[in-house]
Amino acid sequence: MRTYSLAIHGGAGTIRKAEMTPDLEQAYQIGLETALLAGHTILEKQGTALDAVEAAVRVLEDNPLFNAGRGSVYATNGRHEMEASIMCGQQLDAGAVAMIQRVRHPISLARTVLKASPHVLLVGAGAETFAREHGLRFEAANWFDDPKRWAQLQEARQAQRVQLDHAARKMGTVGAVALDLHGNLAAATSTGGMTNKMSGRIGDSPLIGSGTYANNATCAVSCTGIGEFMIRGVSAYDVSCLMAYRGLDLAAACHEVIQVKQTDLGGEGGLIAVDAKGEVALVFNSEGMYRAWIQQGYSPEVWIYA
Amino acid sequence: MRTYSLAIHGGAGTIRKAEMTPDLEQAYQIGLETALLAGHTILEKQGTALDAVEAAVRVLEDNPLFNAGRGSVYATNGRHEMEASIMCGQQLDAGAVAMIQRVRHPISLARTVLKASPHVLLVGAGAETFAREHGLRFEAANWFDDPKRWAQLQEARQAQRVQLDHAARKMGTVGAVALDLHGNLAAATSTGGMTNKMSGRIGDSPLIGSGTYANNATCAVSCTGIGEFMIRGVSAYDVSCLMAYRGLDLAAACHEVIQVKQTDLGGEGGLIAVDAKGEVALVFNSEGMYRAWIQQGYSPEVWIYA
């Protein structure tokens, strides 16, 4: 019997209830619900998992609360250097972009790379040229401006004088994973990276196998956290391998990758995943992760803290 | 009992004996032997696997015959955009660079990222700035110029009018994998990419898990071939997972990843690998792969065809 599932995340990290106002908490919840609804509507109408994860991530990219698209944090050069990737579990097709500026929906550019390019990963000016050739929407630089994010950059610049890896605490990313009624899995991840990151640094979000992975035989995964540790752990693909080669179920595989392996490596973050049966896993070793999910026949769930 | 092993490759692809002159064949053999010797000397003196793979790849990067460093092919913009990565199996430390120009030894820049940066992957101008700050050697643009490579670009540009993926047949990459007498594994990969590649395209060579992977518990792997398929297959890490989770030995894991999975996916290329016992595997599904290896107590082997 065919079913559908959708899970999304808005980043993992140090999210303390004491530092959150009721209004802000509500704004996060509404943001997550709206993104979930965008993907859910597609899955309910027998749309594809690929369309659903792209739609959910586009909504998160448009929301200034989340570190992706419009809400991207500032790199040390004062610019927004965004990255995204998307993968379809049916044929293992993938597309990814990094170091791109002013593209409104980086996830849709990644989708266009998947669809219209023989390549998987395009970065920088070459990726932006490709975006223009394919009619992707660009925004003026001020579309991405945000006084709060700018203040975060100034704070990080200050702190860097005494504490080099302060920026590592900012781990916002958004992502979505889905199973559709046709039995296909898909995963999508998008981010603005780390506040005050050096220009040219690429994290796990645009890297297939590290930040994003989907395979109809196993699962779809989107990671968030300190990208360097996810890259060294090849974390998204690791979940799939633990299922395929060791026979773990989705929950056990996700636990092993985040709670055991990432924790041992010194990484902090989390991941969301769905499997071919529609099971959902949302796992993190940080204080919180903005997350929401829905399974066919159940009500949506929206969570922030542990 | 501790032992050491070293394997190197100079790329896989369409290598036909009929198109090879005796002089050129000898030049390739000497090139591979010289690189092997550079790494071997280090391992013999109880040096580290990380030093050995870097040293071997530096020799290949200086040899105009191989598509890496000095011998890099031209991207469609007429420039050399190089990429490289290196990983140490002891702590899973890794460093990688992409889209870099005029750095003489991209593999040494990747090593510097591993050593001196909190990041894993740096690209473009940011990576070049990092290289200057750390005293890496740059060469004038004409150091990388080569009439044969330039002719290949013109040929590919012509062919592209009628055959879009002509460039995909050029799959040169160099790489090295080693086990040292301390029981540590390391892997390194470096390339100029594909002739006539679009600017901004990144292949598997700088991607940890796809083109390069090392883990003392399993193996060290360096891939060569059509990068997009290696990325979608997360091929380097897949060898490690098949050993760790399914219990395959090195030869069986490498066979599965290249002869079965890459072939099924439509990919063409190969990989070299060593395991913690010093076993060596050199596997490809293309017509040939420039390759050489040595194990403690044995004579060096140098091969080109199947």
Side-chain angles (χ1 to χ4, degrees), chain B residues 118-152:
Chain B
H119 303 305
V120 170
L121 176 55
L122 298 181
V123 305
E128 288 165 13
T129 301
F130 179 84
R132 281 195 189 85
E133 286 168 1
H134 288 83
L136 270 284
R137 184 161 167 184
F138 283 70
E139 299 289 345
N142 66 6
W143 167 261
F144 302 91
D145 280 341
D146 183 322
K148 185 166 67 80
R149 299 292 190 194
W150 184 254
Q152 284 174 351

mmCIF file of all heavy atoms in Angstrom, chain B residues 118-152:
data_model
loop_
_atom_site.group_PDB
_atom_site.id
_atom_site.type_symbol
_atom_site.label_atom_id
_atom_site.label_comp_id
_atom_site.label_asym_id
_atom_site.label_seq_id
_atom_site.Cartn_x
_atom_site.Cartn_y
_atom_site.Cartn_z
ATOM 1 N N PRO B 118 39.957 25.511 9.689
ATOM 2 C CA PRO B 118 38.867 24.746 10.313
ATOM 3 C C PRO B 118 37.923 24.167 9.254
ATOM 4 O O PRO B 118 37.033 23.403 9.582
ATOM 5 C CB PRO B 118 38.146 25.790 11.166
ATOM 6 C CG PRO B 118 38.421 27.089 10.490
ATOM 7 C CD PRO B 118 39.787 26.966 9.867
ATOM 8 N N HIS B 119 38.139 24.546 7.990
ATOM 9 C CA HIS B 119 37.241 24.117 6.926
ATOM 10 C C HIS B 119 37.783 22.894 6.202
ATOM 11 O O HIS B 119 38.956 22.538 6.331
ATOM 12 C CB HIS B 119 37.007 25.260 5.949
ATOM 13 C CG HIS B 119 36.456 26.482 6.620
ATOM 14 N ND1 HIS B 119 35.310 26.429 7.387
ATOM 15 C CD2 HIS B 119 36.901 27.749 6.685
ATOM 16 C CE1 HIS B 119 35.060 27.632 7.886
ATOM 17 N NE2 HIS B 119 36.017 28.444 7.484
ATOM 18 N N VAL B 120 36.936 22.257 5.416
ATOM 19 C CA VAL B 120 37.359 21.114 4.603
ATOM 20 C C VAL B 120 37.525 21.531 3.140
ATOM 21 O O VAL B 120 38.496 21.164 2.494
ATOM 22 C CB VAL B 120 36.345 19.944 4.708
ATOM 23 C CG1 VAL B 120 36.662 18.857 3.682
ATOM 24 C CG2 VAL B 120 36.374 19.352 6.115
ATOM 25 N N LEU B 121 36.577 22.309 2.620
ATOM 26 C CA LEU B 121 36.568 22.621 1.184
ATOM 27 C C LEU B 121 36.575 24.128 0.944
ATOM 28 O O LEU B 121 35.659 24.827 1.360
ATOM 29 C CB LEU B 121 35.325 21.981 0.529
ATOM 30 C CG LEU B 121 35.068 22.262 -0.947
ATOM 31 C CD1 LEU B 121 36.265 21.908 -1.815
ATOM 32 C CD2 LEU B 121 33.832 21.511 -1.432
ATOM 33 N N LEU B 122 37.614 24.595 0.272
ATOM 34 C CA LEU B 122 37.716 26.006 -0.115
ATOM 35 C C LEU B 122 37.789 26.095 -1.632
ATOM 36 O O LEU B 122 38.515 25.326 -2.262
ATOM 37 C CB LEU B 122 38.975 26.651 0.478
ATOM 38 C CG LEU B 122 39.081 26.704 2.001
ATOM 39 C CD1 LEU B 122 40.386 27.404 2.410
ATOM 40 C CD2 LEU B 122 37.892 27.442 2.612
ATOM 41 N N VAL B 123 37.075 27.058 -2.211
ATOM 42 C CA VAL B 123 37.083 27.179 -3.668
ATOM 43 C C VAL B 123 37.373 28.610 -4.126
ATOM 44 O O VAL B 123 37.167 29.568 -3.385
ATOM 45 C CB VAL B 123 35.737 26.727 -4.301
ATOM 46 C CG1 VAL B 123 35.371 25.313 -3.875
ATOM 47 C CG2 VAL B 123 34.621 27.692 -3.961
ATOM 48 N N GLY B 124 37.856 28.708 -5.363
ATOM 49 C CA GLY B 124 37.985 29.981 -6.058
ATOM 50 C C GLY B 124 38.946 30.958 -5.412
ATOM 51 O O GLY B 124 39.967 30.572 -4.838
ATOM 52 N N ALA B 125 38.594 32.250 -5.509
ATOM 53 C CA ALA B 125 39.476 33.311 -5.031
ATOM 54 C C ALA B 125 39.780 33.164 -3.540
ATOM 55 O O ALA B 125 40.898 33.445 -3.095
ATOM 56 C CB ALA B 125 38.845 34.676 -5.318
ATOM 57 N N GLY B 126 38.805 32.713 -2.767
ATOM 58 C CA GLY B 126 39.019 32.510 -1.332
ATOM 59 C C GLY B 126 40.102 31.478 -1.076
ATOM 60 O O GLY B 126 40.954 31.651 -0.185
ATOM 61 N N ALA B 127 40.103 30.423 -1.865
ATOM 62 C CA ALA B 127 41.121 29.375 -1.731
ATOM 63 C C ALA B 127 42.490 29.903 -2.144
ATOM 64 O O ALA B 127 43.519 29.571 -1.539
ATOM 65 C CB ALA B 127 40.742 28.164 -2.582
ATOM 66 N N GLU B 128 42.518 30.757 -3.183
ATOM 67 C CA GLU B 128 43.797 31.316 -3.647
ATOM 68 C C GLU B 128 44.369 32.305 -2.626
ATOM 69 O O GLU B 128 45.581 32.360 -2.412
ATOM 70 C CB GLU B 128 43.624 31.969 -5.020
ATOM 71 C CG GLU B 128 43.421 30.917 -6.124
ATOM 72 C CD GLU B 128 42.886 31.504 -7.429
ATOM 73 O OE1 GLU B 128 42.888 32.746 -7.587
ATOM 74 O OE2 GLU B 128 42.456 30.707 -8.290
ATOM 75 N N THR B 129 43.485 33.079 -2.004
ATOM 76 C CA THR B 129 43.938 33.982 -0.938
ATOM 77 C C THR B 129 44.543 33.179 0.208
ATOM 78 O O THR B 129 45.625 33.498 0.722
ATOM 79 C CB THR B 129 42.741 34.821 -0.413
ATOM 80 O OG1 THR B 129 42.209 35.566 -1.505
ATOM 81 C CG2 THR B 129 43.163 35.762 0.699
ATOM 82 N N PHE B 130 43.852 32.113 0.586
ATOM 83 C CA PHE B 130 44.349 31.211 1.627
ATOM 84 C C PHE B 130 45.711 30.642 1.228
ATOM 85 O O PHE B 130 46.632 30.544 2.060
ATOM 86 C CB PHE B 130 43.324 30.086 1.845
ATOM 87 C CG PHE B 130 43.725 29.064 2.871
ATOM 88 C CD1 PHE B 130 43.507 29.282 4.223
ATOM 89 C CD2 PHE B 130 44.320 27.869 2.479
ATOM 90 C CE1 PHE B 130 43.873 28.327 5.173
ATOM 91 C CE2 PHE B 130 44.696 26.910 3.419
ATOM 92 C CZ PHE B 130 44.471 27.145 4.771
ATOM 93 N N ALA B 131 45.868 30.296 -0.046
ATOM 94 C CA ALA B 131 47.143 29.746 -0.540
ATOM 95 C C ALA B 131 48.272 30.774 -0.395
ATOM 96 O O ALA B 131 49.380 30.441 0.041
ATOM 97 C CB ALA B 131 46.998 29.331 -2.001
ATOM 98 N N ARG B 132 47.984 32.033 -0.735
ATOM 99 C CA ARG B 132 49.007 33.088 -0.625
ATOM 100 C C ARG B 132 49.394 33.307 0.835
ATOM 101 O O ARG B 132 50.572 33.435 1.162
ATOM 102 C CB ARG B 132 48.495 34.395 -1.241
ATOM 103 C CG ARG B 132 48.595 34.390 -2.742
ATOM 104 C CD ARG B 132 48.442 35.743 -3.402
ATOM 105 N NE ARG B 132 48.341 35.495 -4.840
ATOM 106 C CZ ARG B 132 47.209 35.190 -5.468
ATOM 107 N NH1 ARG B 132 46.069 35.158 -4.813
ATOM 108 N NH2 ARG B 132 47.213 34.935 -6.758
ATOM 109 N N GLU B 133 48.373 33.340 1.699
ATOM 110 C CA GLU B 133 48.631 33.547 3.131
ATOM 111 C C GLU B 133 49.515 32.456 3.714
ATOM 112 O O GLU B 133 50.237 32.688 4.679
ATOM 113 C CB GLU B 133 47.306 33.576 3.905
ATOM 114 C CG GLU B 133 46.506 34.852 3.720
ATOM 115 C CD GLU B 133 45.073 34.732 4.260
ATOM 116 O OE1 GLU B 133 44.723 33.664 4.797
ATOM 117 O OE2 GLU B 133 44.318 35.701 4.121
ATOM 118 N N HIS B 134 49.440 31.261 3.125
ATOM 119 C CA HIS B 134 50.207 30.136 3.660
ATOM 120 C C HIS B 134 51.433 29.803 2.819
ATOM 121 O O HIS B 134 52.010 28.720 2.956
ATOM 122 C CB HIS B 134 49.300 28.916 3.838
ATOM 123 C CG HIS B 134 48.352 29.074 4.985
ATOM 124 N ND1 HIS B 134 47.160 29.754 4.875
ATOM 125 C CD2 HIS B 134 48.450 28.694 6.290
ATOM 126 C CE1 HIS B 134 46.550 29.758 6.048
ATOM 127 N NE2 HIS B 134 47.303 29.133 6.922
ATOM 128 N N GLY B 135 51.813 30.730 1.937
ATOM 129 C CA GLY B 135 53.079 30.590 1.220
ATOM 130 C C GLY B 135 53.116 29.492 0.168
ATOM 131 O O GLY B 135 54.207 29.014 -0.187
ATOM 132 N N LEU B 136 51.970 29.088 -0.342
ATOM 133 C CA LEU B 136 51.970 28.094 -1.424
ATOM 134 C C LEU B 136 52.598 28.694 -2.677
ATOM 135 O O LEU B 136 52.502 29.897 -2.920
ATOM 136 C CB LEU B 136 50.537 27.656 -1.738
ATOM 137 C CG LEU B 136 49.953 26.458 -0.978
ATOM 138 C CD1 LEU B 136 50.518 25.143 -1.502
ATOM 139 C CD2 LEU B 136 50.133 26.569 0.521
ATOM 140 N N ARG B 137 53.217 27.850 -3.482
ATOM 141 C CA ARG B 137 53.896 28.323 -4.687
ATOM 142 C C ARG B 137 52.918 28.525 -5.847
ATOM 143 O O ARG B 137 52.155 27.628 -6.176
ATOM 144 C CB ARG B 137 54.953 27.299 -5.077
ATOM 145 C CG ARG B 137 55.801 27.711 -6.252
ATOM 146 C CD ARG B 137 57.075 26.904 -6.264
ATOM 147 N NE ARG B 137 57.784 27.046 -7.514
ATOM 148 C CZ ARG B 137 58.892 26.377 -7.808
ATOM 149 N NH1 ARG B 137 59.398 25.517 -6.925
ATOM 150 N NH2 ARG B 137 59.499 26.555 -8.958
ATOM 151 N N PHE B 138 52.966 29.716 -6.431
ATOM 152 C CA PHE B 138 52.184 30.014 -7.631
ATOM 153 C C PHE B 138 53.116 30.025 -8.833
ATOM 154 O O PHE B 138 54.304 30.321 -8.698
ATOM 155 C CB PHE B 138 51.495 31.379 -7.503
ATOM 156 C CG PHE B 138 50.276 31.355 -6.615
ATOM 157 C CD1 PHE B 138 50.385 31.192 -5.241
ATOM 158 C CD2 PHE B 138 49.009 31.508 -7.164
ATOM 159 C CE1 PHE B 138 49.262 31.164 -4.425
ATOM 160 C CE2 PHE B 138 47.877 31.481 -6.354
ATOM 161 C CZ PHE B 138 48.008 31.315 -4.983
ATOM 162 N N GLU B 139 52.591 29.732 -10.009
ATOM 163 C CA GLU B 139 53.354 29.817 -11.248
ATOM 164 C C GLU B 139 52.661 30.788 -12.198
ATOM 165 O O GLU B 139 51.450 31.007 -12.099
ATOM 166 C CB GLU B 139 53.457 28.435 -11.919
ATOM 167 C CG GLU B 139 54.171 27.380 -11.082
ATOM 168 C CD GLU B 139 55.681 27.630 -10.961
ATOM 169 O OE1 GLU B 139 56.227 28.447 -11.737
ATOM 170 O OE2 GLU B 139 56.305 27.014 -10.070
ATOM 171 N N ALA B 140 53.427 31.345 -13.131
ATOM 172 C CA ALA B 140 52.832 32.172 -14.176
ATOM 173 C C ALA B 140 51.907 31.299 -15.014
ATOM 174 O O ALA B 140 52.077 30.072 -15.071
ATOM 175 C CB ALA B 140 53.926 32.774 -15.055
ATOM 176 N N ALA B 141 50.929 31.933 -15.660
ATOM 177 C CA ALA B 141 49.938 31.170 -16.426
ATOM 178 C C ALA B 141 50.610 30.278 -17.470
ATOM 179 O O ALA B 141 50.141 29.167 -17.743
ATOM 180 C CB ALA B 141 48.943 32.116 -17.085
ATOM 181 N N ASN B 142 51.737 30.728 -18.047
ATOM 182 C CA ASN B 142 52.352 29.931 -19.117
ATOM 183 C C ASN B 142 53.013 28.640 -18.616
ATOM 184 O O ASN B 142 53.336 27.761 -19.401
ATOM 185 C CB ASN B 142 53.331 30.769 -19.957
ATOM 186 C CG ASN B 142 54.547 31.218 -19.154
ATOM 187 O OD1 ASN B 142 54.733 30.814 -18.000
ATOM 188 N ND2 ASN B 142 55.361 32.070 -19.753
ATOM 189 N N TRP B 143 53.202 28.518 -17.298
ATOM 190 C CA TRP B 143 53.684 27.256 -16.729
ATOM 191 C C TRP B 143 52.726 26.108 -17.079
ATOM 192 O O TRP B 143 53.135 24.972 -17.296
ATOM 193 C CB TRP B 143 53.806 27.389 -15.200
ATOM 194 C CG TRP B 143 53.990 26.106 -14.428
ATOM 195 C CD1 TRP B 143 53.026 25.395 -13.759
ATOM 196 C CD2 TRP B 143 55.201 25.382 -14.234
ATOM 197 N NE1 TRP B 143 53.564 24.286 -13.163
ATOM 198 C CE2 TRP B 143 54.907 24.250 -13.434
ATOM 199 C CE3 TRP B 143 56.527 25.582 -14.657
ATOM 200 C CZ2 TRP B 143 55.867 23.322 -13.042
ATOM 201 C CZ3 TRP B 143 57.486 24.646 -14.265
ATOM 202 C CH2 TRP B 143 57.153 23.535 -13.471
ATOM 203 N N PHE B 144 51.459 26.430 -17.149
ATOM 204 C CA PHE B 144 50.418 25.420 -17.368
ATOM 205 C C PHE B 144 50.073 25.254 -18.852
ATOM 206 O O PHE B 144 49.273 24.408 -19.211
ATOM 207 C CB PHE B 144 49.150 25.786 -16.590
ATOM 208 C CG PHE B 144 49.381 25.920 -15.112
ATOM 209 C CD1 PHE B 144 49.715 27.149 -14.541
ATOM 210 C CD2 PHE B 144 49.286 24.807 -14.290
ATOM 211 C CE1 PHE B 144 49.930 27.263 -13.183
ATOM 212 C CE2 PHE B 144 49.498 24.915 -12.925
ATOM 213 C CZ PHE B 144 49.831 26.158 -12.370
ATOM 214 N N ASP B 145 50.671 26.134 -19.721
ATOM 215 C CA ASP B 145 50.307 26.082 -21.141
ATOM 216 C C ASP B 145 50.905 24.863 -21.821
ATOM 217 O O ASP B 145 52.025 24.457 -21.529
ATOM 218 C CB ASP B 145 50.770 27.366 -21.854
ATOM 219 C CG ASP B 145 49.809 28.512 -21.597
ATOM 220 O OD1 ASP B 145 48.648 28.230 -21.204
ATOM 221 O OD2 ASP B 145 50.215 29.669 -21.768
ATOM 222 N N ASP B 146 50.133 24.309 -22.756
ATOM 223 C CA ASP B 146 50.549 23.092 -23.440
ATOM 224 C C ASP B 146 49.828 23.052 -24.784
ATOM 225 O O ASP B 146 48.598 23.017 -24.821
ATOM 226 C CB ASP B 146 50.147 21.886 -22.573
ATOM 227 C CG ASP B 146 50.610 20.569 -23.173
ATOM 228 O OD1 ASP B 146 50.569 20.418 -24.411
ATOM 229 O OD2 ASP B 146 50.992 19.684 -22.401
ATOM 230 N N PRO B 147 50.590 23.061 -25.886
ATOM 231 C CA PRO B 147 49.957 23.084 -27.213
ATOM 232 C C PRO B 147 49.008 21.887 -27.420
ATOM 233 O O PRO B 147 47.972 22.023 -28.054
ATOM 234 C CB PRO B 147 51.146 22.999 -28.182
ATOM 235 C CG PRO B 147 52.344 23.378 -27.389
ATOM 236 C CD PRO B 147 52.056 23.039 -25.964
ATOM 237 N N LYS B 148 49.364 20.721 -26.850
ATOM 238 C CA LYS B 148 48.524 19.535 -27.037
ATOM 239 C C LYS B 148 47.178 19.705 -26.321
ATOM 240 O O LYS B 148 46.124 19.411 -26.875
ATOM 241 C CB LYS B 148 49.268 18.296 -26.494
ATOM 242 C CG LYS B 148 48.552 16.974 -26.724
ATOM 243 C CD LYS B 148 49.469 15.778 -26.471
ATOM 244 C CE LYS B 148 49.866 15.622 -25.007
ATOM 245 N NZ LYS B 148 48.836 14.981 -24.150
ATOM 246 N N ARG B 149 47.241 20.219 -25.083
ATOM 247 C CA ARG B 149 45.999 20.439 -24.335
ATOM 248 C C ARG B 149 45.140 21.510 -24.998
ATOM 249 O O ARG B 149 43.919 21.433 -25.010
ATOM 250 C CB ARG B 149 46.305 20.875 -22.889
ATOM 251 C CG ARG B 149 47.088 19.871 -22.071
ATOM 252 C CD ARG B 149 46.308 18.630 -21.781
ATOM 253 N NE ARG B 149 46.999 17.775 -20.803
ATOM 254 C CZ ARG B 149 46.668 16.521 -20.571
ATOM 255 N NH1 ARG B 149 45.690 15.946 -21.248
ATOM 256 N NH2 ARG B 149 47.323 15.814 -19.662
ATOM 257 N N TRP B 150 45.813 22.549 -25.532
ATOM 258 C CA TRP B 150 45.093 23.640 -26.201
ATOM 259 C C TRP B 150 44.370 23.098 -27.434
ATOM 260 O O TRP B 150 43.212 23.435 -27.694
ATOM 261 C CB TRP B 150 46.073 24.759 -26.581
ATOM 262 C CG TRP B 150 45.391 25.952 -27.187
ATOM 263 C CD1 TRP B 150 45.391 26.320 -28.503
ATOM 264 C CD2 TRP B 150 44.607 26.938 -26.512
ATOM 265 N NE1 TRP B 150 44.650 27.465 -28.695
ATOM 266 C CE2 TRP B 150 44.154 27.862 -27.483
ATOM 267 C CE3 TRP B 150 44.229 27.126 -25.180
ATOM 268 C CZ2 TRP B 150 43.350 28.963 -27.163
ATOM 269 C CZ3 TRP B 150 43.427 28.231 -24.865
ATOM 270 C CH2 TRP B 150 43.006 29.124 -25.841
ATOM 271 N N ALA B 151 45.061 22.232 -28.178
ATOM 272 C CA ALA B 151 44.447 21.609 -29.357
ATOM 273 C C ALA B 151 43.246 20.757 -28.949
ATOM 274 O O ALA B 151 42.221 20.739 -29.637
ATOM 275 C CB ALA B 151 45.477 20.750 -30.095
ATOM 276 N N GLN B 152 43.365 20.086 -27.790
ATOM 277 C CA GLN B 152 42.234 19.287 -27.293
ATOM 278 C C GLN B 152 41.019 20.172 -27.020
ATOM 279 O O GLN B 152 39.890 19.784 -27.288
ATOM 280 C CB GLN B 152 42.609 18.556 -25.994
ATOM 281 C CG GLN B 152 43.497 17.337 -26.201
ATOM 282 C CD GLN B 152 43.955 16.726 -24.872
ATOM 283 O OE1 GLN B 152 43.745 17.299 -23.807
ATOM 284 N NE2 GLN B 152 44.594 15.565 -24.950
#
